[in-house]
Amino acid sequence: MKDEPVAKSLLVKLDSIFVRKEPLGLVLIIAPWNYPVYLTLVPLVGALAAGNCVVLKPSELSKGTEKVLAEVLPQYLDQSCFAVVLGGPQETQQLLEHKFDYVFFTGNPRVGRIVMAAAAKHLTPVTLELGGKNPCYVDDDCDPQTVANRVAWFRYFNSGQTCVAPDYVLCSPDTQERLLPALQRAITRFYGEDPRSSPSLGRIISEKHFRRLRGLLGCGRVVIGGQSDESDRYIAPTVLVDVQETEPVMQEEIFGPILPIVNVRSLDEAIDFINRREKPLALYAFSNSNQVVTQMLDRTSSGIFGGNQGFIHLILPSLPLGGVGNSGMGRYRGKFSFDTFSHHRASLLSPSGLEKLSEFYYPPYTDSRQQLIGWALGSHSCTLL
Amino acid sequence: MDPFADTLRRLREAFGSGRTRPAEFRAAQLKGLGRFLRDNKQLLQEALLQDLHKSAFEAEVSEIRISQIEIDLALRNLRAWMKDEKVPKNLATQLDSAFIRKEPFGLVLIIAPWNYPVNLTLVPLVGALAAGNCVVLKPSEVSRSTEKILAEVLPRYLDQSCFAVVLGGPQETGQLLEHKFDYIFFTGNPRVGRIVMAAAAKHLTPVTLELGGKNPCYVDDDCDPQTVANRVAWFRYFNSGQTCVAPDYVLCSPDTQERLLPALQRAITRFYGEDPRSSPSLGRIISEKHFRRLRGLLGCGRVVIGGQSDESDRYIAPTVLVDVQETEPVMQEEIFGPILPIVNVRSLDEAIDFINRREKPLALYAFSNSNQVVKRVLAQTSSGGFCGNDGFMHMTLTSLPFGGVAHFTDGETEVLLCVIGRAQVCPTCSQLAAAGLTAVSHATVQVPVGWAATTASSPSTPSPTTVPACCARPG
């Protein structure tokens, strides 16, 4: 919250100059259903720390959690400065007709556009935490079991309903051959012979998403998993091969426990493939070679990047989280949240007297004075701070 | 027929080739900008004189020198700004490399205004180029002479595979905005700002909107009227009032108004002579349309100083109005001209209420001998920037970020380190400018190669503290 001093030039040595962090005012947080506690509370922490009043619109899809957020959470906050509003797309649209001083949205790009368009009417700044198809490049030079363990865990965690999970794998046919049995071993190890009875495997949030995902099981060829059960909204940890870029599983963000493998013949081809598509929220590269990982980082763009690692924010919570391009704008977590929900107001407090100094600038101008002013403006003496 | 498609495609291809990534390339572009200013200083001064009747001094201080300072700052700090920014690590990540990588967005569109057509074009351009983007520049068609130079001369100093100028009015700009850009930087009024943001929303393009507002200028009873009048008059009539951060109206008590009026007259006479119209230091209104708009405002309240106008010259005298009602046009729209209305309030509280009832302005000024008063205004209001007992000085500081609030943008969130707010209107933090136009949201964690981590062994959801097992057990 502290005023942040800034470097001063010669002209302003006697002034007090700083950046003041101010709350924006009334903040709207529209939260998603996949991590309904986490993705609601983390932005809320930032908004409150920055001194804003908050309207929270939790997801109506995660009904159990929505109830707790609506009925229990307000009891712990000052309700003159915090409110929960409920509803579906129609109510949210109505809510968005109002003016807010900031809108923080987590969800998919389609709705992200709607939120930003609504915000534009009021010139309301936004943070959009969206999604994308997060590529996961697996180099020939790697240990298949290690990679399979990590990729499987990141993919099937929360039954694949994670915006930063690897969405698809890019690797050579050779590596695919080594990866498949390793993936099967990882899945069996994590979820047992009958994943359906594992307490560690999630379920799909809704009928609609279940049906969408079940449809994707028809793409390419199922080599691991592929089972589903509507009564339970269960989809088995699945791996698909022989997928075409044009199939639905490679067109939309999967957001489920299905991992397609796409073959490429080289790192260059993988990079081209990635760069032809929308910028993703996360990008992963697995390789024993630092060179390969660095190249992938240098030649692509994404919200976040993990080399031989995933879920980087679970590991290091102080990292900023945000998308780029289609995967979003703005970032948050830790201090980045505080900054997101603050206005940084440039402030200069000058002594009221010392008019003699100001007189320097007043017209009419002589040539020599013009030169002197030009010089003083450009001076960069060391900061007094 | 899309006049822009080829240009945009060409620029995207150049970006895709990686041309703009190396620091050397970016530095060369910035140096090119510097040479453009040096080689064409006279040409630019003549253009500014034609467009706005800007004196050589104003052109130097508020357009050319200021832009040069940004260029120099960016050149000096380029490599430091480009560097991966390490983040503090926890136990879990001790063996990892964790940092924030600054990347260019890609294709940036800069839509520049007419009031400081060199400064408000070049300063964002510096940032965009320093950050490694390809840039499409849409200069204002209203400042015609400067537009010509930006369109015909400037490109020669830059790599034209990565930089293009497109010309046109509102219609062409609308067409341009249908295309997808990776960032849009707009300086102009809120009405058009909404249009720009709505267009950007279709492509999920982040924006920086440098808009405007009615910038209040509170003058306390406890002040030296002549000192205040000097400063306020200078800030108000500079560039004939066509400055987004100029004080738009004064709030003071009737008593202070009585003391301020003769002081304002003295300041105006001192700066512009008995016949301001013949002063080389006073600008002119940019266009017929704005002249007529401003002439209309002269009918509000009561003219106590100035009030003269001449259409043939687009001249409006430095003017002060009193007895203005809040409902009159002069208190409804941003004035953007050499007209200063004074609104009476009976107390500081009333002034603060008045200010807070209205849209958040871009700038806010408070003049008082009392620190307390200045600090109260700062604490109880909100605005893009704030100045106590001063005006333009903060604009000369490259270390202060410049940006509005509410009426603006989320480019803010893109910025890193001390900088916030967006990139920049007048001289300010090039770092901010550069950062604002960089895809900063990029966190990276790299684990040393060769770890047969056994973390994810347990199917149970690990808490963040157990995940570190991965890092703690190199294989």
Side-chain angles (χ1 to χ4, degrees):
Chain A
M1 282 176 63
K2 248 171 98 164
D3 288 341
E4 214 177 298
V6 295
K8 300 199 265 199
S9 70
L10 200 61
L11 285 181
V12 294
K13 283 299 176 213
L14 300 169
D15 298 336
S16 174
I17 311 181
F18 51 92
V19 175
R20 164 145 312 178
K21 323 322 160 45
E22 298 178 344
L24 290 161
L26 185 56
V27 169
L28 170 63
I29 295 174
I30 301 175
W33 51 259
N34 58 334
Y35 291 84
V37 174
Y38 173 52
L39 298 183
T40 301
L41 290 198
V42 173
L44 183 57
V45 164
L48 295 176
N52 298 283
C53 283
V54 180
V55 172
L56 174 65
K57 207 329 260 158
S59 173
E60 72 283 10
L61 288 189
S62 38
K63 280 194 274 281
T65 313
E66 184 198 35
K67 195 171 199 293
V68 177
L69 291 171
E71 295 174 14
V72 183
L73 172 60
Q75 296 170 30
Y76 290 80
L77 297 173
D78 183 326
Q79 295 189 47
S80 67
C81 304
F82 175 79
V84 179
V85 301
L86 304 182
Q90 203 179 346
E91 288 79 10
T92 307
Q93 190 79 49
Q94 240 185 321
L95 186 59
L96 284 167
E97 278 164 25
H98 292 272
K99 173 173 168 147
F100 292 92
D101 300 305
Y102 205 93
V103 176
F104 186 100
F105 170 79
T106 309
N108 69 53
R110 185 187 63 82
V111 181
R113 284 179 177 80
I114 295 170
V115 171
M116 189 172 171
K121 298 199 174 96
H122 297 291
L123 288 170
T124 298
V126 300
T127 287
L128 305 175
E129 295 283 328
L130 308 176
K133 289 186 75 58
N134 305 324
C136 182
Y137 173 70
V138 181
D139 196 39
D140 287 345
D141 178 13
C142 75
D143 170 48
Q145 194 58 61
T146 300
V147 175
N149 290 345
R150 293 180 193 181
V151 172
W153 187 52
F154 304 139
R155 168 76 287 189
Y156 303 117
F157 192 92
N158 201 25
S159 208
Q161 296 160 117
T162 305
C163 48
V164 292
D167 185 274
Y168 64 96
V169 164
L170 282 168
C171 68
S172 67
D174 278 349
T175 295
Q176 175 177 306
E177 281 320 296
R178 298 183 297 144
L179 215 49
L180 288 177
L183 281 166
Q184 179 66 78
R185 277 191 293 273
I187 289 168
T188 305
R189 172 184 174 180
F190 299 167
Y191 310 111
E193 291 293 340
D194 176 29
R196 193 159 173 204
S197 56
S198 162
S200 304
L201 188 63
R203 292 296 184 267
I204 306 308
I205 182 71
S206 67
E207 309 279 331
K208 173 177 140 185
H209 279 286
F210 171 84
R211 282 192 286 268
R212 179 182 65 79
L213 287 162
R214 193 176 52 187
L216 298 183
L217 292 170
C219 300
R221 182 165 60 88
V222 173
V223 286
I224 298 175
Q227 299 88 359
S228 66
D229 184 338
E230 186 149 13
S231 67
D232 205 16
R233 297 196 308 275
Y234 165 78
I235 300 213
T238 298
V239 178
L240 304 175
V241 297
D242 300 339
V243 294
Q244 299 307 313
E245 223 185 316
T246 45
E247 293 185 84
V249 78
M250 285 307 294
Q251 291 294 313
E252 55 179 85
E253 184 175 1
I254 296 168
F255 227 65
I258 299 169
L259 183 70
I261 301 182
V262 173
N263 290 141
V264 287
R265 285 157 304 185
S266 64
L267 175 61
D268 282 340
E269 200 180 311
I271 288 174
D272 281 343
F273 186 95
I274 290 168
N275 287 341
R276 274 205 316 269
R277 306 164 69 92
E278 294 290 358
K279 292 177 191 176
L281 184 55
L283 210 158
Y284 301 102
F286 288 85
S287 174
N288 285 335
S289 155
N290 257 341
Q291 297 269 41
V292 167
V293 171
T294 302
Q295 266 209 68
M296 186 55 86
L297 171 61
D298 288 350
R299 291 165 59 188
T300 60
S301 187
S302 61
I304 65 175
F305 179 89
N308 293 314
Q309 192 54 278
F311 287 7
I312 64 180
H313 291 86
L314 267 188
I315 301 172
L316 191 55
S318 58
L319 283 172
L321 174 59
V324 64
N326 224 49
S327 55
M329 57 184 76
R331 59 194 184 150
Y332 73 123
R333 303 298 308 274
K335 173 129 196 307
F336 302 98
S337 290
F338 181 88
D339 288 342
T340 291
F341 293 108
S342 302
H343 168 57
H344 290 65
R345 187 180 190 189
S347 305
L348 186 148
L349 306 184
S350 209
S352 55
L354 299 176
E355 181 60 356
K356 282 289 166 224
L357 289 182
S358 294
E359 304 224 333
F360 197 47
Y361 296 95
Y362 300 146
Y365 305 109
T366 61
D367 281 341
S368 58
R369 191 135 63 85
Q370 285 192 47
Q371 282 188 36
L372 211 51
I373 292 171
W375 168 81
L377 279 177
S379 76
H380 273 275
S381 32
C382 55
T383 172
L384 291 181
L385 309 160
Chain B
M1 237 301 275
D2 185 340
F4 308 116
D6 283 342
T7 302
L8 299 185
R9 185 184 9 218
R10 183 168 55 78
L11 257 46
R12 276 205 185 282
E13 271 162 20
F15 182 77
S17 75
R19 227 184 137 114
T20 60
R21 310 298 279 249
E24 295 75 22
F25 177 87
R26 306 183 198 188
Q29 298 308 292
L30 294 174
K31 288 179 183 150
L33 278 187
R35 278 196 314 274
F36 163 73
L37 283 178
R38 280 191 299 277
D39 292 354
N40 299 285
K41 184 159 149 160
Q42 196 176 348
L43 209 58
L44 287 167
Q45 279 174 339
E46 280 160 13
L48 291 166
L49 189 64
Q50 275 205 295
D51 284 334
L52 289 149
H53 200 255
K54 242 185 248 254
S55 64
F57 172 76
E58 279 195 23
E60 175 67 20
V61 159
S62 67
E63 297 264 30
I64 295 170
R65 180 68 64 117
I66 269 326
S67 303
Q68 189 63 58
I69 289 171
E70 280 298 304
I71 294 168
D72 292 342
L73 190 72
L75 277 167
R76 244 197 328 274
N77 293 286
L78 184 63
R79 280 167 171 78
W81 292 347
M82 281 174 69
K83 252 170 96 168
D84 287 340
E85 197 185 317
K86 297 212 183 331
V87 294
K89 297 196 280 195
N90 54 19
L91 199 63
T93 45
Q94 281 310 307
L95 297 170
D96 297 336
S97 176
F99 53 91
I100 296 173
R101 153 107 11 136
K102 310 356 144 35
E103 301 179 337
F105 278 113
L107 186 56
V108 168
L109 169 64
I110 295 175
I111 301 176
W114 51 259
N115 59 334
Y116 291 86
V118 175
N119 173 354
L120 300 186
T121 300
L122 291 197
V123 170
L125 182 56
V126 165
L129 295 175
N133 297 282
C134 284
V135 180
V136 173
L137 171 65
K138 208 328 259 158
S140 172
E141 72 284 11
V142 181
S143 41
R144 270 192 287 270
S145 306
T146 314
E147 184 200 34
K148 196 169 196 296
I149 301 176
L150 293 171
E152 294 174 14
V153 182
L154 173 60
R156 297 187 222 146
Y157 290 81
L158 299 173
D159 184 326
Q160 294 189 50
S161 69
C162 303
F163 174 79
V165 179
V166 302
L167 305 181
Q171 201 179 348
E172 289 79 9
T173 307
Q175 240 186 320
L176 185 61
L177 284 167
E178 277 164 26
H179 291 271
K180 173 175 167 137
F181 292 92
D182 300 307
Y183 203 97
I184 297 176
F185 186 97
F186 169 80
T187 308
N189 69 54
R191 185 186 63 82
V192 181
R194 282 179 179 81
I195 295 170
V196 171
M197 190 172 168
K202 297 198 175 97
H203 298 288
L204 287 170
T205 298
V207 301
T208 286
L209 307 175
E210 294 288 333
L211 309 176
K214 289 187 75 58
N215 304 324
C217 181
Y218 172 69
V219 181
D220 196 41
D221 288 346
D222 177 13
C223 75
D224 171 47
Q226 193 59 60
T227 299
V228 174
N230 290 347
R231 293 177 193 184
V232 173
W234 189 54
F235 305 141
R236 168 76 285 189
Y237 304 117
F238 193 93
N239 201 27
S240 208
Q242 298 162 117
T243 305
C244 47
V245 290
D248 186 276
Y249 64 95
V250 163
L251 283 167
C252 66
S253 68
D255 278 351
T256 295
Q257 176 176 305
E258 282 319 298
R259 298 184 296 143
L260 215 49
L261 288 176
L264 282 165
Q265 179 67 76
R266 278 192 293 274
I268 289 169
T269 305
R270 171 186 176 176
F271 298 165
Y272 308 112
E274 292 292 341
D275 176 28
R277 191 158 174 203
S278 58
S279 163
S281 305
L282 188 63
R284 293 295 183 267
I285 306 309
I286 183 71
S287 68
E288 311 277 329
K289 172 177 139 188
H290 279 285
F291 171 84
R292 283 193 285 269
R293 179 183 64 80
L294 286 162
R295 192 175 54 186
L297 298 183
L298 292 169
C300 300
R302 184 164 56 88
V303 173
V304 288
I305 298 175
Q308 301 87 359
S309 66
D310 185 336
E311 185 150 14
S312 68
D313 204 16
R314 298 196 306 276
Y315 164 76
I316 299 214
T319 297
V320 178
L321 305 175
V322 297
D323 301 340
V324 295
Q325 299 308 313
E326 222 186 319
T327 45
E328 292 186 84
V330 79
M331 284 308 293
Q332 291 294 313
E333 54 180 85
E334 183 175 1
I335 296 169
F336 227 65
I339 299 169
L340 182 70
I342 300 182
V343 173
N344 291 142
V345 287
R346 286 157 303 183
S347 65
L348 177 58
D349 283 337
E350 200 180 311
I352 289 173
D353 281 341
F354 186 97
I355 291 168
N356 288 339
R357 272 204 318 268
R358 304 163 71 93
E359 293 291 358
K360 292 177 192 174
L362 185 55
L364 211 157
Y365 301 96
F367 288 86
S368 173
N369 285 334
S370 155
N371 255 346
Q372 298 275 44
V373 167
V374 170
K375 289 195 168 131
R376 250 192 85 190
V377 178
L378 172 61
Q380 294 180 5
T381 60
S382 187
S383 62
F386 177 90
C387 262
N389 293 314
D390 207 312
F392 288 172
M393 237 8 81
H394 74 291
M395 305 307 297
T396 67
L397 268 184
T398 49
S399 51
L400 261 188
F402 188 76
V405 67
H407 280 302
F408 81 83
T409 161
D410 51 87
E412 233 174 28
T413 56
E414 243 74 75
V415 179
L416 65 120
L417 298 177
C418 68
V419 256
I420 318 95
R422 302 103 230 84
Q424 213 326 35
V425 173
C426 291
T428 224
C429 194
S430 263
Q431 182 174 13
L432 175 58
L437 294 162
T438 310
V440 163
S441 309
H442 194 97
T444 308
V445 174
Q446 288 183 306
V447 170
V449 154
W451 278 3
T454 52
T455 358
S457 56
S458 158
S460 63
T461 307
S463 71
T465 50
T466 61
V467 167
C470 165
C471 306
R473 279 182 281 157

